[in-house]
Amino acid sequence: MKKVGIVMGSDSDLPIVEKAFAVLREYGVPFEVRVLSAHRTPVAAAEFAGNAKKNGFGVIIAAAGKAAHLAGAMAANTTLPIIGIPVKSSTLDGLDALLATVQMPSGMPVATVAIDGAANAALLAVQILSTGDEQLSAVLDAKRAEAGAKVLSKDAEISAKYSCL
């Protein structure tokens, strides 16, 4: 199975990104975590992205706040799918990071999840990897069905308790 690369621009992003670790562990997807900056370590960031495919990665998740150019820097140096997580910082409530991550130029796509959306970034990575892995696809389908069953169970419980017919 291919690995997921998780790159964050600063260790201050770790509390957000840890949510992705939990999801990937739940699905048994291997991952590697790095702290690389598009601005402070541009060569190291480019080398990581440029070598990711040959190093066994299938997807890269990039989390950054403020200027949030990390996902774009990853996309500029690989053709692997990149998932950007805009991280909320003390300025502009993460809107700056969201816009920096989602507004990519033509030819450099970055899938972008919600501000601080690490769990969904990991789920999207699992979905991408599952397209080439039948076992992972089956686990994903089973967990999706389980989540739906929980909602329907709550629906029945709430409807029975509160409906007035």
Side-chain angles (χ1 to χ4, degrees):
M1 176 184 305
K2 295 210 180 270
K3 303 180 285 188
V4 174
I6 302 175
V7 183
M8 63 191 106
S10 167
D11 64 343
S12 65
D13 301 327
L14 187 58
I16 298 302
V17 176
E18 284 178 323
K19 295 168 187 153
F21 306 167
V23 171
L24 293 172
R25 284 186 181 116
E26 180 183 344
Y27 284 89
V29 174
F31 60 93
E32 183 178 318
V33 182
R34 303 287 304 272
V35 177
L36 298 169
S37 170
H39 304 110
R40 294 180 295 265
T41 62
V43 173
E47 286 175 355
F48 175 80
N51 293 315
K53 195 179 291 186
K54 77 176 182 183
N55 288 332
F57 293 95
V59 180
I60 297 173
I61 296 172
K66 298 185 180 178
H69 295 132
L70 187 57
M74 294 288 112
N77 289 286
T78 186
T79 56
L80 289 175
I82 307 297
I83 303 167
I85 305 171
V87 177
K88 182 177 179 180
S89 64
S90 58
T91 53
L92 302 178
D93 281 338
L95 183 59
D96 50 348
L98 175 64
L99 293 175
T101 306
V102 77
Q103 290 294 96
M104 293 299 300
S106 181
M108 290 294 138
V110 169
T112 307
V113 296
I115 296 168
D116 293 348
N120 268 352
L123 281 170
L124 182 55
V126 170
Q127 288 177 316
I128 291 167
L129 293 177
S130 77
T131 63
D133 185 320
E134 287 299 320
Q135 186 176 359
L136 185 57
S137 182
V139 172
L140 189 61
D141 289 343
K143 288 193 180 282
R144 183 72 64 94
E146 181 182 313
K150 284 181 184 178
V151 170
L152 292 175
S153 174
K154 290 293 182 182
D155 172 54
E157 180 183 321
I158 297 295
S159 182
K161 185 173 182 175
Y162 296 104
S163 293
C164 181
L165 302 174

